Amino acid sequence: PPSGRDYIARYTHPISTGTFNRCYATRVRNNVASFHYTAPDAPGGAAFQKIIVLRGSRSIDVSTSGHVRGNERPQQLTSFRLASSTTIVHAANGFALYEPKSKRAFLVAWNSRGVQATLERHAADVLLTLTYAGGRRVLTRFDVEPADTPADAQAALTAFANRP
């Protein structure tokens, strides 16, 4: 449940804060960092795990899983800053933020099986919410690719989102 007091700046998150200030067990080895948290105080108990893998200088993979009891479904929320000129390009299991000034696309894709995704654009940011079945691992991949036009961004996203 949300914290009774919002300890972090309001502009950094569009929703009520919850377990942001909990201590996670961590492990870092080479290009992989893993984080694990068990929340015995959550109704029915809960556990969360996130593994971040650096894949070169422009790409990372984030694998997230959550186990909660009852009807609740784990969610992963990611917020991205947007310039007013940014165009959002969509795929069934991903999107790209195309920045015409820098001629690049920031790509995001996830494994779509059992995942519900919503994307909310605001004036200066976009919020991606992935809701998934408890116990299921969601792999979210991030990459930056050169793109001269929105069509280039769409082609890069299509190739990225369909990569195994």
Side-chain angles (χ1 to χ4, degrees):
S3 170
R5 179 172 167 213
D6 194 355
Y7 294 92
I8 56 179
R10 190 76 183 129
Y11 67 86
T12 64
H13 59 284
I15 62 169
S16 299
T17 57
T19 58
F20 73 92
N21 62 345
R22 307 294 179 96
C23 292
Y24 282 68
T26 61
R27 182 178 176 186
V28 178
R29 186 171 283 166
N30 298 324
N31 64 334
V32 179
S34 62
F35 306 89
H36 183 268
Y37 177 69
T38 302
D41 57 325
F48 307 97
Q49 182 178 38
K50 184 174 282 192
I51 299 169
I52 300 172
V53 180
L54 301 176
R55 304 238 182 248
S57 63
R58 299 184 327 215
S59 184
I60 64 172
D61 291 351
V62 179
S63 177
T64 307
S65 64
H67 303 277
V68 295
R69 297 184 197 253
N71 294 329
E72 296 293 324
R73 293 182 68 194
Q75 289 186 320
Q76 174 181 312
L77 292 99
T78 310
S79 181
F80 305 94
R81 184 187 68 77
L82 291 181
S84 59
S85 60
T86 301
T87 299
I88 300 176
V89 178
H90 296 271
N93 63 323
F95 70 94
L97 302 175
Y98 169 66
E99 299 174 349
K101 288 182 183 178
S102 61
K103 299 223 178 273
R104 67 179 182 180
F106 180 75
L107 310 173
V108 182
W110 54 88
N111 55 327
S112 58
R113 194 177 71 157
V115 177
Q116 292 176 330
T118 60
L119 194 63
E120 298 174 42
R121 184 174 184 154
H122 307 111
D125 68 87
V126 63
L127 176 68
L128 170 65
T129 302
L130 300 178
T131 304
Y132 49 98
R136 183 170 301 245
R137 183 166 299 282
V138 175
L139 175 63
T140 309
R141 295 180 293 128
F142 303 87
D143 196 3
V144 178
E145 292 292 333
D148 290 330
T149 66
D152 292 341
Q154 182 70 60
L157 175 61
T158 299
F160 183 69
N162 291 321
R163 201 171 64 185

